[in-house]
Amino acid sequence: MTRQNSADQRNAAGEWAGAGFETVAIHAGQEPDAATGAVVVPIHPSSTFAQDAVGVPRGAYEYARSANPTRTALETCLAALEAGTVGLAFASGLAAEDAVLRTVLRPGDHVVIPSDAYGGTYRLFARVFAEWGVEYTPAPLDDLEAVRAALRPGTTRLLWCETPTNPLLGVADVEALAGLIHSVGGLLAVDNTFATPYLQRPLALGADVSVHSTTKYLGGHSDVVGGAVVVVDPALGERLRFIQNATGAVAGPFDAWLVLRGAKTLAVRMDRHCANARRIAALLTTHPAVAAVYYPGLPGDRGHAVAAKQMRDFGGMVSFTLRGGEEAAVEVCRRTRVFTLAESLGGVESLIEHPGRMTHASAAGSPLEVPADLVRLSVGIESAEDLVDDLTQALAALN
């Protein structure tokens, strides 16, 4: 059953290999329904599927944890968007990450992680896999010599990369990191959530695994929680599929349908996210209350050159620090009206948050603790003028 699904994915992904991103997002894995002609993939809520005889399934499906037609459509689309061979949809981004770690790592193995990794990622390594005997070393992934020094030949099995990072928008050279980790026999996994497959394709740059929280830009509407893994190596894909089925953290059919719907408009949404983020970054760089702006689209940003080389555009995330310190950051978060104070990111609506007290609280007191005066913005697709006006009035209270 699962082998057949993998073959279907490769065939569908290959069929659209030469098409533009927008075309792939709308069509890969999404042929009109054979029974009705419906142009939208149906939601298949069934938990089980009839068999023609004992042990003889009627089609490719037996039980929905193992495979579901709606989920298969999403997984096929994701594989095509990332130019991979196997895509897998999970119940959350962290479930996807956990599946990768369970597949690749064993007790005694070592991992290099970003020195400014997402708080949930840090928690997974520090509080879950460390107790299983997996060691990790944080390193600034934009410093190749620091990464090289952190590698342990013979035991470093994985380099976990975020680019851009959350929340400091650091940019790592995926091609260079792939060369480093492959030289010691390890794998490179890239969290591509911030960039999305539209802006960046890690697998084409040499990464072995691309991971997403589909809750974010791929879903795009703040109405679903999900995750995804896409790989190049079919054998690795089958090992991941086994873990997906064995542990059961799969995307439900309605969640898969919502992400598939969101993926159709990813390209046009990302264009607007990026354009609005540029406007916001330009405002922040000239505001007297702002101490520093983190956005790879700025020519003076440390990661700008690498981002320009490996990304189509610079994304919709902007972070900044304030001269007034932590209380000023909290006050700006409190005063915005168009920007909603909330965790998460990547939806059509603009969000503002204080990472130190919200999304990255789990890293407090660790080497990965984020600056207390940091504010993170997920810039949505509203009117750019309204977003600029909202931040301007929020910052004016600090003068």
Side-chain angles (χ1 to χ4, degrees), residues 13-391:
E15 179 184 357
W16 297 101
F21 185 94
E22 297 86 343
T23 303
V24 174
I26 292 169
H27 292 288
Q30 301 167 76
E31 293 296 322
D33 183 59
T36 66
V39 298
V40 175
V41 171
I43 300 171
H44 292 271
S46 182
S47 62
T48 191
F49 300 86
Q51 302 193 15
D52 289 333
V54 175
V56 183
R58 183 168 299 176
Y61 303 95
E62 297 174 2
Y63 183 60
R65 171 172 41 79
S66 301
N68 171 278
T70 312
R71 194 171 87 226
T72 296
L74 172 61
E75 291 176 335
T76 302
C77 183
L78 292 171
L81 292 178
E82 283 279 15
T85 60
V86 178
L88 299 165
F90 290 85
S92 70
L94 281 171
E97 183 172 346
D98 178 72
V100 173
L101 303 187
R102 289 180 186 276
T103 300
V104 174
L105 302 175
R106 296 295 178 267
D109 287 346
H110 173 252
V111 183
V112 176
I113 68 172
S115 55
D116 59 340
Y118 165 55
T121 293
Y122 171 73
R123 182 176 58 231
L124 191 58
F125 281 106
R127 301 286 298 278
V128 179
F129 279 86
E131 295 185 1
W132 195 41
V134 172
E135 298 184 12
Y136 66 94
T137 300
L141 299 192
D142 61 349
D143 183 341
L144 296 179
E145 289 309 309
V147 175
R148 193 189 311 274
L151 296 175
R152 302 178 187 175
T155 59
T156 303
R157 305 298 180 198
L158 184 69
L159 197 167
W160 186 269
C161 172
E162 297 175 20
T163 184
T165 59
N166 180 7
L168 294 175
L169 285 304
V171 176
D173 187 325
V174 174
E175 186 174 11
L177 291 180
L180 286 178
I181 188 63
H182 291 161
S183 72
V184 297
L187 300 180
L188 175 62
V190 176
D191 184 334
N192 201 29
T193 298
F194 272 26
T196 80
Y198 179 62
L199 301 183
Q200 177 175 271
R201 281 181 163 176
L203 302 182
L205 296 169
D208 303 283
V209 182
S210 184
V211 181
H212 291 270
S213 170
T214 58
T215 309
K216 312 305 194 296
Y217 287 107
L218 275 161
H221 295 79
S222 300
D223 55 8
V224 62
V225 174
V229 177
V230 182
V231 300
V232 176
D233 179 11
L236 177 59
E238 289 309 308
R239 289 161 55 200
L240 280 159
R241 192 182 299 281
F242 172 81
I243 292 294
Q244 180 195 43
N245 183 47
T247 59
V250 298
F254 187 57
D255 292 342
W257 186 87
L258 285 170
V259 175
L260 196 59
R261 182 200 62 176
K264 291 175 185 286
T265 60
L266 178 63
V268 292
R269 286 188 287 106
M270 290 308 300
D271 284 341
R272 183 62 172 267
H273 284 298
C274 293
N276 282 359
R278 284 193 291 273
R279 289 283 302 275
I280 295 301
L283 164 69
L284 294 171
T285 54
T286 60
H287 200 284
V290 175
V293 181
Y294 301 90
Y295 178 63
L298 294 171
D301 187 88
R302 180 173 177 175
H304 177 74
V306 174
K309 178 183 73 170
Q310 70 186 24
M311 296 175 68
R312 184 195 300 252
D313 206 333
F314 301 103
M317 302 298 297
V318 181
S319 294
F320 61 99
T321 56
L322 289 154
R323 300 187 189 282
E326 181 175 8
E327 293 309 312
V330 172
E331 179 66 10
V332 169
C333 291
R334 186 187 69 82
R335 289 186 58 85
T336 57
R337 297 294 177 263
V338 181
F339 283 87
T340 300
L341 177 60
E343 297 187 357
S344 198
L345 57 102
V348 294
E349 65 288 309
S350 293
L351 303 179
I352 188 170
E353 68 127 0
H354 184 268
R357 297 190 186 183
M358 296 170 70
T359 52
H360 290 68
S362 61
S366 80
L368 280 71
E369 183 173 11
V370 300
D373 56 353
L374 185 73
V375 174
R376 189 191 74 181
L377 303 175
S378 173
V379 182
I381 64 172
E382 303 96 335
S383 159
E385 288 72 20
D386 290 339
L387 295 176
V388 168
D389 290 346
D390 188 39
L391 270 184

